[in-house]
Coordinates of all heavy atoms in Angstrom, one line a residue:
Y136 N 63.0 215.4 87.2 CA 64.4 215.6 86.6 C 64.4 215.7 85.2 O 65.3 216.4 84.5 CB 65.3 214.6 87.2 CG 65.8 214.9 88.7 CD1 65.5 214.1 89.6 CD2 66.6 216.0 88.9 CE1 65.8 214.5 91.0 CE2 67.0 216.4 90.1 CZ 66.6 215.5 91.2 OH 66.9 215.9 92.5
D137 N 63.5 215.0 84.5 CA 63.4 215.1 83.0 C 63.1 216.5 82.6 O 63.7 217.1 81.8 CB 62.4 214.2 82.5 CG 62.2 214.2 81.0 OD1 63.2 214.0 80.3 OD2 61.1 214.5 80.5
R138 N 62.1 217.1 83.4 CA 61.7 218.6 83.0 C 62.8 219.4 83.4 O 63.1 220.4 82.7 CB 60.4 218.9 83.8 CG 59.2 218.3 83.3 CD 58.0 218.8 84.0 NE 56.8 218.2 83.5 CZ 55.6 218.5 83.9 NH1 55.4 219.5 84.8 NH2 54.5 217.9 83.3
L139 N 63.4 219.3 84.5 CA 64.6 220.0 85.0 C 65.8 220.0 84.0 O 66.3 221.1 83.7 CB 65.0 219.7 86.4 CG 66.1 220.6 87.1 CD1 65.6 222.1 87.2 CD2 66.3 220.1 88.4
R140 N 66.0 218.9 83.4 CA 67.1 218.6 82.5 C 66.7 219.4 81.3 O 67.6 220.1 80.7 CB 67.3 217.2 82.2 CG 68.5 216.8 81.3 CD 68.7 215.3 81.2 NE 69.0 214.6 82.5 CZ 68.0 213.9 83.0 NH1 66.8 213.8 82.6 NH2 68.2 213.3 84.2
R141 N 65.5 219.3 80.8 CA 65.1 220.1 79.5 C 65.1 221.5 79.7 O 65.6 222.2 78.8 CB 63.7 219.7 79.2 CG 63.5 218.2 78.6 CD 62.1 217.9 78.6 NE 61.9 216.5 78.2 CZ 61.3 216.0 77.2 NH1 60.9 216.8 76.2 NH2 61.2 214.7 77.0
V142 N 64.7 222.1 80.8 CA 64.8 223.5 81.2 C 66.2 224.0 81.2 O 66.6 225.0 80.6 CB 64.0 223.8 82.5 CG1 64.4 225.2 82.8 CG2 62.5 223.6 82.3
S143 N 67.1 223.2 81.8 CA 68.4 223.5 81.9 C 69.2 223.5 80.5 O 69.9 224.4 80.3 CB 69.2 222.5 82.8 OG 68.6 222.6 84.2
I144 N 68.9 222.5 79.8 CA 69.4 222.5 78.4 C 69.0 223.6 77.6 O 69.8 224.3 76.8 CB 69.2 221.1 77.7 CG1 69.9 220.0 78.4 CG2 69.5 221.1 76.2 CD1 69.5 218.6 78.0
A145 N 67.7 223.9 77.7 CA 67.1 225.1 76.9 C 67.8 226.3 77.4 O 67.9 227.3 76.5 CB 65.6 225.1 77.1
G146 N 68.0 226.5 78.6 CA 68.7 227.7 79.2 C 70.2 227.7 79.1 O 71.0 228.5 79.6
K147 N 70.7 226.7 78.4 CA 72.1 226.4 78.1 C 73.0 226.3 79.5 O 74.0 226.8 79.6 CB 72.7 227.4 77.3 CG 72.1 227.6 75.9 CD 72.8 228.5 75.0 CE 72.2 228.8 73.7 NZ 71.8 227.7 72.9
V150 N 74.1 220.4 83.0 CA 73.2 219.3 83.6 C 74.0 218.2 84.1 O 73.5 217.2 84.6 CB 72.2 218.8 82.5 CG1 71.2 219.9 82.0 CG2 72.9 218.2 81.4
L153 N 72.9 216.8 87.5 CA 71.6 216.2 87.6 C 71.7 214.7 87.5 O 72.4 214.1 86.6 CB 70.5 216.8 86.6 CG 70.2 218.2 86.6 CD1 69.4 218.6 85.5 CD2 69.6 218.6 88.0

Side-chain angles (χ1 to χ4, degrees):
Y136 279 113
D137 179 57
R138 287 183 180 189
L139 189 55
R140 190 176 298 103
R141 289 171 190 243
V142 167
S143 296
I144 291 170
K147 300 186 187 312
V150 294
L153 298 177

